[in-house]
Amino acid sequence: MQVNRRDRVQAETFNLAARLDELLENLCQVEQVSREVFELRVDPACKARFDRGHFEQVLWNLCRNALRYSQRLPCSVRLRALTSDDGTTVLDVSDDGTGVPGDAVQKLFEPFFTTEEGGTGLGLYIARELCEANGALIEYKRAIDGGACFRITFGSSDES
Ligand SMILES: Nc1ncnc2c1ncn2[C@@H]1O[C@H](COP(=O)(O)OP(=O)(O)OP(=O)(O)O)[C@@H](O)[C@H]1O
Ligand SMILES: [Mg+2]
């Protein structure tokens, strides 16, 4: 298992839509799933500041989780991002699965919490560590249709 260490953060500012598009292409090839399953609705002006490897690791896990629980229909997994007036960029990864049961919500980001046979239960734990190391916040909320939604709120994308 490759864990990108949080003490080696090489933050860069990048265009979110372009980076996500590339990531989805790769993921769909590896997972042998139609690109249609993912809906990418990201404001072309959205930028994020994050270590490239860390970003891929976080998104890869969120998208693979979402895919696993989704119905795998067109647009079953939705990636949406917006930058608000104060410059804060928020990315939501949501799916049309059954969501996370109430008693599991507080355990989601704990190390080794898994309901999957063969799962490590480290994906979300590492995602939270990496987000924190990159000045971002990751949280769970329920999607409107009852599925799961994971929200990343990025730190400032100023290069300073
Ligand atoms: N989109 C989702 N819908 C429903 N439950 C989820 C979703 N994402 C995560 N979970 C729950 O959170 C648990 C922990 O997820 P995490 O990514 O940390 O580990 P994992 O996916 O079980 O293992 P691994 O990442 O090694 O494959 C999952 O086992 C599942 O119970
Ligand atoms: Mg996982």
Side-chain angles (χ1 to χ4, degrees), residues 61 65 68 123:
N61 182 59
N65 284 351
R68 186 201 284 152

Side-chain angles (χ1 to χ4, degrees), residues 25-98:
E25 287 293 332
N26 290 336
L27 183 81
C28 289
Q29 228 167 26
V30 171
E31 295 287 324
Q32 299 275 295
V33 64
S34 162
R35 177 66 180 75
E36 308 262 281
V37 172
F38 290 89
E39 181 203 54
L40 184 56
R41 221 198 273 178
V42 172
D43 183 339
C46 275
K47 288 195 168 82
R49 187 161 175 79
F50 221 90
D51 179 289
R52 185 186 188 117
H54 292 173
F55 183 76
E56 277 170 16
Q57 200 172 346
V58 172
L59 264 296
W60 196 270
N61 182 59
L62 288 184
C63 291
R64 284 190 62 221
N65 284 351
L67 188 61
R68 186 201 284 152
Y69 296 103
S70 80
Q71 298 174 41
R72 296 193 176 218
L73 299 169
C75 300
S76 276
V77 180
R78 302 169 303 258
L79 280 73
R80 294 183 181 164
L82 279 175
T83 302
S84 55
D85 291 341
D86 68 0
T88 308
T89 297
V90 166
L91 169 64
D92 283 346
V93 178
S94 56
D95 64 66
D96 61 357
T98 52

Side-chain angles (χ1 to χ4, degrees), residues 3-14:
V3 179
N4 281 300
R5 293 281 305 275
R6 58 182 292 181
D7 55 358
R8 282 188 268 131
V9 179
Q10 286 190 302
E12 58 176 35
T13 301
F14 53 86

